[in-house]
Amino acid sequence: MKVRVLSGVQPTGNLHIGNYLGALKNWVKIQYDYESIFCIVDLHAITVYQNPQELRSNIHQLAALFLACGIDPKHSSIIAQSSVPGHAELAWMFTCVTPLGWLERMTQFKAKSEAQETIGDGLLQYPVLMAADILLYQAKIVPVGDDQRQHLELTRDIAQRFNSQYGETFVLPETKLPLVGARVMGLDDPTTKMSKSATGAGHAVALLDPPAVIRKKIMRATTDSQPGVNFESKGAGVENLLNIHQAFTEWTDDQMRAHFEGMRYGDLKKTVAEAVVDGLMPIQQRYQEITADPSIITAVLKEGALRVIPIAQATVELTKQRMGLYSLV
Ligand code: AQP
């Protein structure tokens, strides 16, 4: 039996090249080596308010982008998290075994709650739900960007705590970070990670940005006061642009150095912009084809859910049994 892999993206807006390089590109590469489940984590999205119509449309758009990026629905299950009841059921059981202090220490919770007037309980519980997503399928491998590393460690802690309280039940998952592209930074501020929820117009390149917009955003990216690329003392902005280029082209470190050492920043940006435009063009073309027929997406999400629901139900039943909860089966 193949090892199971699970990962997810929130349907919270335009997918950007950070999501692509940190997560989706990696998923496409490894999907056939594993039994893969890729999840549109809409229950995570509602930890901050979402307009219901926009959320529904974002779920469909994200499923189309998964397909356009190369996820093969015949082999991999693409699911909307809320269509499988086990995610929320297991999350509650995990809430009851997770100490509050573990959750209050999460850096994403601290950062996100700073921006809120009222902090919803869901924001605190976010990583518990993520643990449920992963452990529900006994997934061994979780390919994510670097920003999720702390949440993955918490998932292992929750699994271990459950196993020690109720007996061996959950497999401990491992993080799988991409070699390059694990942390793509904002183009306007290379000290913060590129994020869907950031509002600056020049912050992120979206996967569906037209070529002219991609070029404009990259040409305006923040660099530093040096005249050109110096591999011995790269500022964060230049490092980010090189990282993006390498992740798209998959050039080796030697190729990168030979091509870019000493290059003026204007030329660096032009080269990076063309690599991004070339890398996104086939994805954008496939996206147009897929969205021409909305029934494709509905069918893929249904097929994915039907495939994984029995796995999820089996884990929920086992967990209930372990905890002494009541079961009809
Ligand atoms: N900048 C990034 N670089 C590399 N990987 C990234 N990921 C996210 N940002 C980067 C990876 O993408 C997957 C989906 O994460 P997400 O849906 O939480 O994306 P986001 O852009 O972080 O979304 P939000 O809504 O804007 O969330 P916040 O406010 O947290 O930034 C994950 O595998 C993630 O690692």
Side-chain angles (χ1 to χ4, degrees):
M1 207 173 81
K2 280 189 175 171
V3 169
R4 201 169 284 143
V5 156
L6 178 126
S7 199
V9 178
Q10 298 183 74
T12 43
N14 289 333
L15 221 67
H16 52 72
I17 55 172
N19 301 127
Y20 178 62
L21 300 174
L24 271 133
K25 189 166 185 278
N26 202 14
W27 300 359
V28 171
K29 256 193 195 160
I30 64 170
Q31 63 179 328
Y32 296 108
D33 298 336
Y34 301 102
E35 183 191 333
S36 310
I37 303 171
F38 300 118
C39 195
I40 296 168
V41 290
D42 49 357
L43 295 173
H44 277 98
I46 59 167
T47 54
V48 291
Y49 175 79
Q50 304 293 326
N51 173 293
Q53 265 167 336
E54 273 174 31
L55 180 59
R56 246 186 307 274
S57 135
N58 282 340
I59 292 169
H60 280 251
Q61 191 199 57
L62 194 50
L65 274 171
F66 281 11
L67 296 177
C69 286
I71 302 295
D72 172 2
K74 296 247 169 325
H75 177 80
S76 306
S77 304
I78 299 178
I79 59 164
Q81 185 186 25
S82 63
S83 66
V84 182
H87 290 262
E89 284 181 86
L90 194 61
W92 173 251
M93 298 181 231
F94 286 164
T95 295
C96 299
V97 300
T98 308
L100 185 58
W102 289 6
L103 301 178
E104 287 170 337
R105 275 200 295 276
M106 293 292 109
T107 50
Q108 186 171 303
F109 169 70
K110 286 193 216 161
K112 283 203 168 184
S113 54
E114 263 170 24
Q116 308 289 324
E117 250 175 55
T118 338
I119 305 162
D121 183 30
L123 214 49
L124 184 71
Q125 300 299 334
Y126 184 108
V128 177
L129 178 58
M130 183 166 159
D133 298 337
I134 297 164
L135 300 174
L136 186 61
Y137 302 105
Q138 303 281 10
K140 181 86 183 132
I141 309 278
V142 187
V144 287
D146 187 57
D147 58 318
Q148 294 301 326
R149 191 198 292 264
Q150 194 186 31
H151 286 166
L152 249 300
E153 276 160 21
L154 187 87
T155 297
R156 290 170 61 88
D157 291 342
I158 292 174
Q160 250 164 343
R161 190 175 167 90
F162 188 98
N163 287 350
S164 75
Q165 286 185 346
Y166 294 103
E168 221 35 54
T169 308
F170 294 107
V171 169
L172 299 195
E174 291 159 22
T175 316
K176 191 174 175 71
L177 297 179
L179 296 177
V180 184
R183 184 169 278 266
V184 177
M185 310 307 280
L187 295 175
D188 55 350
D189 175 6
T191 62
T192 59
K193 78 154 188 149
M194 190 176 280
S195 146
K196 291 190 232 94
S197 51
T199 47
H203 172 80
V205 171
L207 295 195
L208 297 176
D209 275 347
V213 174
I214 298 174
R215 292 190 181 104
K216 193 165 149 192
K217 286 180 178 173
I218 294 180
M219 292 312 289
R220 289 191 181 161
T222 302
T223 46
D224 52 55
S225 56
Q226 295 194 68
V229 179
N230 178 346
F231 273 77
E232 304 317 319
S233 63
K234 298 185 289 276
V238 172
E239 166 111 42
N240 191 35
L241 289 172
L242 290 169
N243 190 20
I244 291 170
H245 185 280
Q246 188 172 19
F248 268 103
T249 59
E250 301 189 4
W251 285 7
T252 62
D253 291 349
D254 288 346
Q255 280 175 301
M256 290 295 293
R257 191 179 274 263
H259 192 82
F260 287 109
E261 182 71 62
M263 188 183 275
R264 299 181 71 82
Y265 287 161
D267 291 331
L268 163 72
K269 288 177 177 178
K270 276 188 202 148
T271 316
V272 175
E274 290 320 306
V276 176
V277 168
D278 288 351
L280 294 186
M281 200 191 302
I283 296 174
Q284 298 187 349
Q285 280 166 355
R286 277 197 299 269
Y287 180 82
Q288 295 309 331
E289 290 159 19
I290 292 159
T291 49
D293 178 2
S295 70
I296 295 177
I297 302 301
T298 320
V300 162
L301 290 174
K302 191 166 182 182
E303 195 185 327
L306 292 177
R307 207 185 286 151
V308 304
I309 280 173
I311 309 171
Q313 272 175 342
T315 310
V316 168
E317 281 310 320
L318 176 66
T319 315
K320 283 169 71 173
Q321 214 182 66
R322 292 275 199 268
M323 296 183 94
L325 296 167
Y326 193 75
S327 174
L328 289 175
V329 294

